[in-house]
Amino acid sequence: DADVTQTPRNRITKTGKRIMLECSQTKGHDRMYWYRQDPGLGLRLIYYSFDVKDINKGEISDGYSVSRQAQAKFSLSLESAIPNQTALYFCATSDTGQGAMGGYTFGSGTRLTVV
Amino acid sequence: AQSVTQPDIHITVSEGASLELRCNYSYGATPYLFWYVQSPGQGLQLLLKYFSGDTLVQGIKGFEAEFKRSQSSFNLRKPSVHWSDAAEYFCAVGAYGQNFVFGPGTRLSVLP
């Protein structure tokens, strides 16, 4: 099994619909992140969480919300999806004990299309 | 503000040729530097990282990178490219207590 699992892998949804992307991890890491990838823009941080009670906005949080249900689970929601939220979404984890030196472990991504 | 640039959007090399992917950064703190690779349909995999010490670091899959503080660069190299190296490559910068900043990526194509 993958260390960081994202579901679904692919999703097509209609404008205005609510959608949730889920992420679970078996790394035992305390920090979790949601990134969005668009061609030519690299990865941009949406939200991050350093533990269950600590949620922080990233650089592009508008239109998104998150929930850290447990140390191992971090969900991203689009309350009312719009076409420019069509992108590849990645969940990542890291370990506070290693700080930035440990790097991030990424999931395989969720490809979301809003029509 | 922290930033990472990868000047080459797309590079094409022949199999067996050498490769260099460029990365420049602007970062106030002492940076930790990373290179990730993303194969089609996959997540990002860590190739190598630099924190301190020897400025030439070795990674997986035969890749290496050299940190040059005077040029604010961390270029990725491979002496002989294989067809399986075709992917997208991301440079990232982090620091203690800071989230990573990723570059826009360089797509590598390999000709047979």
PDB file of all heavy atoms in Angstrom, chain A residues 43-69:
ATOM      1  N   LEU A  43       3.700  23.795  -8.197  1.00  0.00           N
ATOM      2  CA  LEU A  43       2.777  23.429  -7.131  1.00  0.00           C
ATOM      3  C   LEU A  43       2.528  24.636  -6.246  1.00  0.00           C
ATOM      4  O   LEU A  43       3.471  25.293  -5.792  1.00  0.00           O
ATOM      5  CB  LEU A  43       3.351  22.296  -6.286  1.00  0.00           C
ATOM      6  CG  LEU A  43       3.190  20.884  -6.831  1.00  0.00           C
ATOM      7  CD1 LEU A  43       4.132  20.635  -7.998  1.00  0.00           C
ATOM      8  CD2 LEU A  43       3.404  19.864  -5.744  1.00  0.00           C
ATOM      9  N   ARG A  44       1.275  24.888  -5.992  1.00  0.00           N
ATOM     10  CA  ARG A  44       0.907  25.998  -5.113  1.00  0.00           C
ATOM     11  C   ARG A  44       0.169  25.465  -3.903  1.00  0.00           C
ATOM     12  O   ARG A  44      -0.710  24.612  -4.023  1.00  0.00           O
ATOM     13  CB  ARG A  44       0.053  27.007  -5.891  1.00  0.00           C
ATOM     14  CG  ARG A  44       0.826  27.723  -7.002  1.00  0.00           C
ATOM     15  CD  ARG A  44      -0.065  28.736  -7.697  1.00  0.00           C
ATOM     16  NE  ARG A  44      -1.102  28.081  -8.492  1.00  0.00           N
ATOM     17  CZ  ARG A  44      -2.157  28.712  -8.993  1.00  0.00           C
ATOM     18  NH1 ARG A  44      -2.319  29.999  -8.770  1.00  0.00           N
ATOM     19  NH2 ARG A  44      -3.041  28.045  -9.703  1.00  0.00           N
ATOM     20  N   LEU A  45       0.505  26.009  -2.746  1.00  0.00           N
ATOM     21  CA  LEU A  45      -0.017  25.501  -1.489  1.00  0.00           C
ATOM     22  C   LEU A  45      -1.407  26.042  -1.221  1.00  0.00           C
ATOM     23  O   LEU A  45      -1.632  27.261  -1.243  1.00  0.00           O
ATOM     24  CB  LEU A  45       0.946  25.897  -0.366  1.00  0.00           C
ATOM     25  CG  LEU A  45       0.630  25.402   1.028  1.00  0.00           C
ATOM     26  CD1 LEU A  45       0.633  23.875   1.080  1.00  0.00           C
ATOM     27  CD2 LEU A  45       1.642  25.973   2.022  1.00  0.00           C
ATOM     28  N   ILE A  46      -2.333  25.142  -0.933  1.00  0.00           N
ATOM     29  CA  ILE A  46      -3.716  25.537  -0.665  1.00  0.00           C
ATOM     30  C   ILE A  46      -3.938  25.669   0.849  1.00  0.00           C
ATOM     31  O   ILE A  46      -4.379  26.710   1.337  1.00  0.00           O
ATOM     32  CB  ILE A  46      -4.711  24.514  -1.249  1.00  0.00           C
ATOM     33  CG1 ILE A  46      -4.443  24.277  -2.738  1.00  0.00           C
ATOM     34  CG2 ILE A  46      -6.148  24.978  -1.041  1.00  0.00           C
ATOM     35  CD1 ILE A  46      -5.265  23.149  -3.332  1.00  0.00           C
ATOM     36  N   TYR A  47      -3.700  24.587   1.568  1.00  0.00           N
ATOM     37  CA  TYR A  47      -3.820  24.560   3.019  1.00  0.00           C
ATOM     38  C   TYR A  47      -2.764  23.617   3.573  1.00  0.00           C
ATOM     39  O   TYR A  47      -2.306  22.701   2.883  1.00  0.00           O
ATOM     40  CB  TYR A  47      -5.197  24.019   3.450  1.00  0.00           C
ATOM     41  CG  TYR A  47      -6.275  25.046   3.613  1.00  0.00           C
ATOM     42  CD1 TYR A  47      -7.163  25.325   2.576  1.00  0.00           C
ATOM     43  CD2 TYR A  47      -6.440  25.733   4.821  1.00  0.00           C
ATOM     44  CE1 TYR A  47      -8.180  26.256   2.728  1.00  0.00           C
ATOM     45  CE2 TYR A  47      -7.451  26.669   4.977  1.00  0.00           C
ATOM     46  CZ  TYR A  47      -8.325  26.926   3.928  1.00  0.00           C
ATOM     47  OH  TYR A  47      -9.336  27.838   4.087  1.00  0.00           O
ATOM     48  N   TYR A  48      -2.434  23.844   4.852  1.00  0.00           N
ATOM     49  CA  TYR A  48      -1.551  22.906   5.518  1.00  0.00           C
ATOM     50  C   TYR A  48      -1.930  22.787   6.983  1.00  0.00           C
ATOM     51  O   TYR A  48      -2.573  23.685   7.550  1.00  0.00           O
ATOM     52  CB  TYR A  48      -0.075  23.290   5.351  1.00  0.00           C
ATOM     53  CG  TYR A  48       0.318  24.641   5.894  1.00  0.00           C
ATOM     54  CD1 TYR A  48       0.982  24.753   7.114  1.00  0.00           C
ATOM     55  CD2 TYR A  48       0.068  25.799   5.166  1.00  0.00           C
ATOM     56  CE1 TYR A  48       1.372  25.982   7.596  1.00  0.00           C
ATOM     57  CE2 TYR A  48       0.452  27.035   5.644  1.00  0.00           C
ATOM     58  CZ  TYR A  48       1.115  27.127   6.852  1.00  0.00           C
ATOM     59  OH  TYR A  48       1.497  28.354   7.341  1.00  0.00           O
ATOM     60  N   SER A  49      -1.524  21.674   7.562  1.00  0.00           N
ATOM     61  CA  SER A  49      -1.906  21.365   8.942  1.00  0.00           C
ATOM     62  C   SER A  49      -0.709  20.742   9.634  1.00  0.00           C
ATOM     63  O   SER A  49      -0.145  19.762   9.149  1.00  0.00           O
ATOM     64  CB  SER A  49      -3.089  20.395   8.933  1.00  0.00           C
ATOM     65  OG  SER A  49      -3.314  19.877  10.230  1.00  0.00           O
ATOM     66  N   PHE A  50      -0.353  21.293  10.798  1.00  0.00           N
ATOM     67  CA  PHE A  50       0.778  20.760  11.538  1.00  0.00           C
ATOM     68  C   PHE A  50       0.352  19.747  12.593  1.00  0.00           C
ATOM     69  O   PHE A  50       1.172  19.001  13.107  1.00  0.00           O
ATOM     70  CB  PHE A  50       1.592  21.878  12.170  1.00  0.00           C
ATOM     71  CG  PHE A  50       2.423  22.657  11.180  1.00  0.00           C
ATOM     72  CD1 PHE A  50       3.082  23.805  11.580  1.00  0.00           C
ATOM     73  CD2 PHE A  50       2.543  22.255   9.864  1.00  0.00           C
ATOM     74  CE1 PHE A  50       3.849  24.525  10.673  1.00  0.00           C
ATOM     75  CE2 PHE A  50       3.298  22.961   8.951  1.00  0.00           C
ATOM     76  CZ  PHE A  50       3.952  24.113   9.361  1.00  0.00           C
ATOM     77  N   ASP A  51      -0.907  19.765  12.948  1.00  0.00           N
ATOM     78  CA  ASP A  51      -1.483  18.689  13.749  1.00  0.00           C
ATOM     79  C   ASP A  51      -2.998  18.834  13.660  1.00  0.00           C
ATOM     80  O   ASP A  51      -3.504  19.709  12.971  1.00  0.00           O
ATOM     81  CB  ASP A  51      -0.979  18.675  15.196  1.00  0.00           C
ATOM     82  CG  ASP A  51      -1.394  19.882  16.004  1.00  0.00           C
ATOM     83  OD1 ASP A  51      -2.546  20.353  15.875  1.00  0.00           O
ATOM     84  OD2 ASP A  51      -0.555  20.376  16.791  1.00  0.00           O
ATOM     85  N   VAL A  52      -3.721  17.974  14.347  1.00  0.00           N
ATOM     86  CA  VAL A  52      -5.178  17.906  14.191  1.00  0.00           C
ATOM     87  C   VAL A  52      -5.846  19.241  14.515  1.00  0.00           C
ATOM     88  O   VAL A  52      -6.837  19.619  13.893  1.00  0.00           O
ATOM     89  CB  VAL A  52      -5.750  16.780  15.075  1.00  0.00           C
ATOM     90  CG1 VAL A  52      -7.273  16.789  15.038  1.00  0.00           C
ATOM     91  CG2 VAL A  52      -5.238  15.429  14.599  1.00  0.00           C
ATOM     92  N   LYS A  53      -5.286  19.993  15.436  1.00  0.00           N
ATOM     93  CA  LYS A  53      -5.925  21.246  15.840  1.00  0.00           C
ATOM     94  C   LYS A  53      -5.289  22.473  15.194  1.00  0.00           C
ATOM     95  O   LYS A  53      -5.596  23.610  15.583  1.00  0.00           O
ATOM     96  CB  LYS A  53      -5.868  21.377  17.365  1.00  0.00           C
ATOM     97  CG  LYS A  53      -6.661  20.311  18.092  1.00  0.00           C
ATOM     98  CD  LYS A  53      -6.592  20.500  19.600  1.00  0.00           C
ATOM     99  CE  LYS A  53      -7.404  19.424  20.320  1.00  0.00           C
ATOM    100  NZ  LYS A  53      -7.347  19.587  21.802  1.00  0.00           N
ATOM    101  N   ASP A  54      -4.428  22.253  14.251  1.00  0.00           N
ATOM    102  CA  ASP A  54      -3.708  23.369  13.634  1.00  0.00           C
ATOM    103  C   ASP A  54      -3.907  23.336  12.127  1.00  0.00           C
ATOM    104  O   ASP A  54      -3.381  22.464  11.429  1.00  0.00           O
ATOM    105  CB  ASP A  54      -2.219  23.271  13.969  1.00  0.00           C
ATOM    106  CG  ASP A  54      -1.432  24.403  13.349  1.00  0.00           C
ATOM    107  OD1 ASP A  54      -1.616  25.541  13.801  1.00  0.00           O
ATOM    108  OD2 ASP A  54      -0.645  24.151  12.416  1.00  0.00           O
ATOM    109  N   ILE A  55      -4.688  24.289  11.606  1.00  0.00           N
ATOM    110  CA  ILE A  55      -4.983  24.397  10.182  1.00  0.00           C
ATOM    111  C   ILE A  55      -4.565  25.782   9.727  1.00  0.00           C
ATOM    112  O   ILE A  55      -4.877  26.773  10.396  1.00  0.00           O
ATOM    113  CB  ILE A  55      -6.494  24.209   9.890  1.00  0.00           C
ATOM    114  CG1 ILE A  55      -7.002  22.885  10.454  1.00  0.00           C
ATOM    115  CG2 ILE A  55      -6.757  24.327   8.396  1.00  0.00           C
ATOM    116  CD1 ILE A  55      -6.527  21.672   9.720  1.00  0.00           C
ATOM    117  N   ASN A  56      -3.900  25.853   8.579  1.00  0.00           N
ATOM    118  CA  ASN A  56      -3.401  27.129   8.097  1.00  0.00           C
ATOM    119  C   ASN A  56      -3.681  27.299   6.615  1.00  0.00           C
ATOM    120  O   ASN A  56      -3.591  26.332   5.850  1.00  0.00           O
ATOM    121  CB  ASN A  56      -1.881  27.214   8.316  1.00  0.00           C
ATOM    122  CG  ASN A  56      -1.506  27.005   9.755  1.00  0.00           C
ATOM    123  OD1 ASN A  56      -1.580  27.914  10.570  1.00  0.00           O
ATOM    124  ND2 ASN A  56      -1.105  25.784  10.099  1.00  0.00           N
ATOM    125  N   LYS A  57      -3.971  28.522   6.226  1.00  0.00           N
ATOM    126  CA  LYS A  57      -4.174  28.815   4.819  1.00  0.00           C
ATOM    127  C   LYS A  57      -2.834  28.926   4.102  1.00  0.00           C
ATOM    128  O   LYS A  57      -1.872  29.464   4.643  1.00  0.00           O
ATOM    129  CB  LYS A  57      -4.953  30.125   4.649  1.00  0.00           C
ATOM    130  CG  LYS A  57      -6.382  30.057   5.142  1.00  0.00           C
ATOM    131  CD  LYS A  57      -7.089  31.388   4.893  1.00  0.00           C
ATOM    132  CE  LYS A  57      -8.550  31.297   5.328  1.00  0.00           C
ATOM    133  NZ  LYS A  57      -9.266  32.581   5.083  1.00  0.00           N
ATOM    134  N   GLY A  58      -2.848  28.446   2.863  1.00  0.00           N
ATOM    135  CA  GLY A  58      -1.700  28.623   2.009  1.00  0.00           C
ATOM    136  C   GLY A  58      -1.894  29.828   1.108  1.00  0.00           C
ATOM    137  O   GLY A  58      -2.705  30.711   1.391  1.00  0.00           O
ATOM    138  N   GLU A  59      -1.185  29.844  -0.002  1.00  0.00           N
ATOM    139  CA  GLU A  59      -1.228  31.021  -0.868  1.00  0.00           C
ATOM    140  C   GLU A  59      -2.488  31.113  -1.711  1.00  0.00           C
ATOM    141  O   GLU A  59      -2.824  32.179  -2.208  1.00  0.00           O
ATOM    142  CB  GLU A  59       0.013  31.035  -1.768  1.00  0.00           C
ATOM    143  CG  GLU A  59       0.130  29.818  -2.676  1.00  0.00           C
ATOM    144  CD  GLU A  59       1.390  29.844  -3.527  1.00  0.00           C
ATOM    145  OE1 GLU A  59       1.528  30.756  -4.356  1.00  0.00           O
ATOM    146  OE2 GLU A  59       2.223  28.935  -3.357  1.00  0.00           O
ATOM    147  N   ILE A  60      -3.216  30.002  -1.888  1.00  0.00           N
ATOM    148  CA  ILE A  60      -4.398  30.031  -2.767  1.00  0.00           C
ATOM    149  C   ILE A  60      -5.581  29.331  -2.108  1.00  0.00           C
ATOM    150  O   ILE A  60      -6.191  28.450  -2.671  1.00  0.00           O
ATOM    151  CB  ILE A  60      -4.099  29.422  -4.154  1.00  0.00           C
ATOM    152  CG1 ILE A  60      -3.563  27.994  -4.018  1.00  0.00           C
ATOM    153  CG2 ILE A  60      -3.125  30.268  -4.946  1.00  0.00           C
ATOM    154  CD1 ILE A  60      -3.645  27.214  -5.316  1.00  0.00           C
ATOM    155  N   SER A  61      -5.966  29.734  -0.909  1.00  0.00           N
ATOM    156  CA  SER A  61      -6.997  29.024  -0.165  1.00  0.00           C
ATOM    157  C   SER A  61      -8.424  29.418  -0.543  1.00  0.00           C
ATOM    158  O   SER A  61      -9.373  28.700  -0.200  1.00  0.00           O
ATOM    159  CB  SER A  61      -6.793  29.250   1.329  1.00  0.00           C
ATOM    160  OG  SER A  61      -6.847  30.641   1.616  1.00  0.00           O
ATOM    161  N   ASP A  62      -8.610  30.517  -1.235  1.00  0.00           N
ATOM    162  CA  ASP A  62      -9.969  30.964  -1.567  1.00  0.00           C
ATOM    163  C   ASP A  62     -10.708  29.902  -2.385  1.00  0.00           C
ATOM    164  O   ASP A  62     -10.195  29.402  -3.385  1.00  0.00           O
ATOM    165  CB  ASP A  62      -9.933  32.275  -2.355  1.00  0.00           C
ATOM    166  CG  ASP A  62      -9.553  33.454  -1.484  1.00  0.00           C
ATOM    167  OD1 ASP A  62      -9.543  33.295  -0.242  1.00  0.00           O
ATOM    168  OD2 ASP A  62      -9.282  34.532  -2.035  1.00  0.00           O
ATOM    169  N   GLY A  63     -11.941  29.587  -1.948  1.00  0.00           N
ATOM    170  CA  GLY A  63     -12.743  28.602  -2.660  1.00  0.00           C
ATOM    171  C   GLY A  63     -12.553  27.181  -2.172  1.00  0.00           C
ATOM    172  O   GLY A  63     -13.206  26.265  -2.659  1.00  0.00           O
ATOM    173  N   TYR A  64     -11.651  27.022  -1.196  1.00  0.00           N
ATOM    174  CA  TYR A  64     -11.353  25.705  -0.640  1.00  0.00           C
ATOM    175  C   TYR A  64     -11.521  25.715   0.880  1.00  0.00           C
ATOM    176  O   TYR A  64     -11.406  26.750   1.518  1.00  0.00           O
ATOM    177  CB  TYR A  64      -9.913  25.287  -0.953  1.00  0.00           C
ATOM    178  CG  TYR A  64      -9.548  25.238  -2.400  1.00  0.00           C
ATOM    179  CD1 TYR A  64      -8.962  26.338  -3.029  1.00  0.00           C
ATOM    180  CD2 TYR A  64      -9.768  24.093  -3.158  1.00  0.00           C
ATOM    181  CE1 TYR A  64      -8.611  26.304  -4.370  1.00  0.00           C
ATOM    182  CE2 TYR A  64      -9.418  24.041  -4.503  1.00  0.00           C
ATOM    183  CZ  TYR A  64      -8.842  25.153  -5.089  1.00  0.00           C
ATOM    184  OH  TYR A  64      -8.501  25.095  -6.423  1.00  0.00           O
ATOM    185  N   SER A  65     -11.778  24.536   1.430  1.00  0.00           N
ATOM    186  CA  SER A  65     -11.743  24.352   2.872  1.00  0.00           C
ATOM    187  C   SER A  65     -11.148  22.977   3.148  1.00  0.00           C
ATOM    188  O   SER A  65     -11.079  22.124   2.251  1.00  0.00           O
ATOM    189  CB  SER A  65     -13.138  24.470   3.499  1.00  0.00           C
ATOM    190  OG  SER A  65     -13.984  23.441   2.995  1.00  0.00           O
ATOM    191  N   VAL A  66     -10.699  22.765   4.382  1.00  0.00           N
ATOM    192  CA  VAL A  66     -10.087  21.494   4.735  1.00  0.00           C
ATOM    193  C   VAL A  66     -10.600  21.018   6.080  1.00  0.00           C
ATOM    194  O   VAL A  66     -11.143  21.787   6.874  1.00  0.00           O
ATOM    195  CB  VAL A  66      -8.538  21.578   4.782  1.00  0.00           C
ATOM    196  CG1 VAL A  66      -7.946  21.797   3.404  1.00  0.00           C
ATOM    197  CG2 VAL A  66      -8.093  22.643   5.777  1.00  0.00           C
ATOM    198  N   SER A  67     -10.366  19.742   6.303  1.00  0.00           N
ATOM    199  CA  SER A  67     -10.690  19.135   7.587  1.00  0.00           C
ATOM    200  C   SER A  67      -9.611  18.122   7.915  1.00  0.00           C
ATOM    201  O   SER A  67      -9.282  17.270   7.087  1.00  0.00           O
ATOM    202  CB  SER A  67     -12.054  18.445   7.523  1.00  0.00           C
ATOM    203  OG  SER A  67     -12.292  17.709   8.708  1.00  0.00           O
ATOM    204  N   ARG A  68      -9.080  18.226   9.131  1.00  0.00           N
ATOM    205  CA  ARG A  68      -8.089  17.232   9.596  1.00  0.00           C
ATOM    206  C   ARG A  68      -8.811  16.346  10.608  1.00  0.00           C
ATOM    207  O   ARG A  68      -8.920  16.647  11.787  1.00  0.00           O
ATOM    208  CB  ARG A  68      -6.901  17.939  10.243  1.00  0.00           C
ATOM    209  CG  ARG A  68      -5.774  17.004  10.663  1.00  0.00           C
ATOM    210  CD  ARG A  68      -4.848  16.701   9.522  1.00  0.00           C
ATOM    211  NE  ARG A  68      -3.802  15.762   9.886  1.00  0.00           N
ATOM    212  CZ  ARG A  68      -2.577  16.134  10.251  1.00  0.00           C
ATOM    213  NH1 ARG A  68      -2.251  17.415  10.313  1.00  0.00           N
ATOM    214  NH2 ARG A  68      -1.678  15.211  10.547  1.00  0.00           N
ATOM    215  N   GLN A  69      -9.318  15.235  10.103  1.00  0.00           N
ATOM    216  CA  GLN A  69     -10.174  14.368  10.921  1.00  0.00           C
ATOM    217  C   GLN A  69      -9.376  13.575  11.946  1.00  0.00           C
ATOM    218  O   GLN A  69      -9.889  13.161  12.984  1.00  0.00           O
ATOM    219  CB  GLN A  69     -10.959  13.399  10.031  1.00  0.00           C
ATOM    220  CG  GLN A  69     -11.856  14.077   9.000  1.00  0.00           C
ATOM    221  CD  GLN A  69     -11.180  14.201   7.655  1.00  0.00           C
ATOM    222  OE1 GLN A  69      -9.980  14.431   7.563  1.00  0.00           O
ATOM    223  NE2 GLN A  69     -11.969  14.063   6.590  1.00  0.00           N
TER     224      GLN A  69
END
